[in-house]
């Protein structure tokens, strides 16, 4: 499941992997999915291509750096990927997240976070007749996304006891220049590295 930043959904549907520019990368209510280039994706493509390092390097080194994209849509190994790896994909929007959070709360009395809502929405689309159980693992606490949960449900999510008063705790911030040696020195001086 992806949000509006659908670089992986596009790949799994079409075989085209296209890195998004900054202007095409959206800030969403499921921010862990706000990506323009999928990290560690090379590992999957390496396996998909039969562990062919030269071809993987050509795609990620040459094609991606020069053209910002590559297309495996016509490669027979891509055609077999869904069956071999079990991948199906889909996309969820802010409106979908709100509706899924609301529906899940109304049907099950459980508040889910925004990323989990993306997963539930897409899983429901691929569930078919419902004869196969659907399992979606929650990825975060709803309290981290209180604004969106309140928008969906009309009230904030329940706050776990361990988060009560967290705003009043002391904040420890050290502003530093982007200097590797200064950061290493700070870590050495302030952290117990035993």
């Amino acid at each position: 499941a992806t949000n509006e930043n659908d670089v992986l959904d596009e790949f799994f549907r079409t075989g085209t992997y296209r890195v998004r520019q900054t202007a095409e990368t959206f800030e969403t209510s499921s921010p862990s999915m706000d990506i323009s280039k999928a990290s560690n994706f090379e590992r999957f493509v390496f396996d998909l291509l039969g562990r062919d390092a030269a071809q993987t390097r050509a795609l990620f080194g040459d094609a991606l750096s020069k053209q910002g994209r590559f297309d495996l849509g016509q490669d027979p190994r891509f055609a077999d990927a869904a069956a071999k790896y079990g991948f199906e994909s889909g996309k969820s929007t802010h409106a979908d997240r709100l509706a899924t959070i609301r529906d899940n709360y109304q049907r099950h009395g459980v508040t889910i976070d925004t990323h989990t809502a993306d997963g539930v929405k897409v899983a429901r689309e691929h569930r078919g007749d419902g004869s196969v159980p659907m399992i979606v693992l929650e990825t975060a606490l709803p309290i981290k996304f209180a604004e969106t949960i309140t928008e969906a449900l009309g009230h904030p999510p329940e706050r776990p006891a361990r988060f009560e008063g967290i705003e009043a705790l002391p904040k420890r911030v050290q502003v530093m220049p982007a200097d590797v040696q200064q950061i290493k020195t700070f870590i050495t001086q302030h952290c117990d590295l035993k």
Side-chain angles (χ1 to χ4, degrees), residues 104-122:
N104 197 74
Y105 185 78
Q106 290 169 347
R107 291 202 304 171
H108 306 292
V110 175
T111 304
I112 57 175
D113 72 278
T114 56
H115 300 85
T116 303
D118 289 333
V120 168
K121 184 262 186 189
V122 172

Side-chain angles (χ1 to χ4, degrees), residues 36-123:
S36 57
K37 181 179 181 185
S39 62
N40 294 316
F41 186 57
E42 296 92 331
R43 293 177 186 181
F44 171 74
V45 172
F46 177 67
D47 284 338
L48 177 68
L49 298 175
R51 305 184 68 78
D52 184 332
Q55 188 176 10
T56 304
R57 184 174 34 258
L59 292 175
F60 284 90
D62 298 335
L64 210 54
S65 64
K66 292 177 183 164
Q67 300 161 359
R69 66 186 306 134
F70 62 78
D71 187 352
L72 295 175
Q74 301 306 311
D75 189 306
R77 294 169 293 188
F78 175 75
D80 295 337
K84 182 175 182 180
Y85 295 102
F87 283 121
E88 294 188 33
S89 72
K91 172 180 170 178
S92 179
T93 66
H94 181 71
D96 294 328
R97 282 186 283 287
L98 295 177
T100 303
I101 291 166
R102 191 176 305 113
D103 178 68
N104 197 74
Y105 185 78
Q106 290 169 347
R107 291 202 304 171
H108 306 292
V110 175
T111 304
I112 57 175
D113 72 278
T114 56
H115 300 85
T116 303
D118 289 333
V120 168
K121 184 262 186 189
V122 172

Side-chain angles (χ1 to χ4, degrees), residues 122-134:
V122 172
R124 285 178 177 165
E125 290 174 347
H126 292 286
R127 192 165 182 217
D129 65 5
S131 62
V132 175
M134 179 179 74

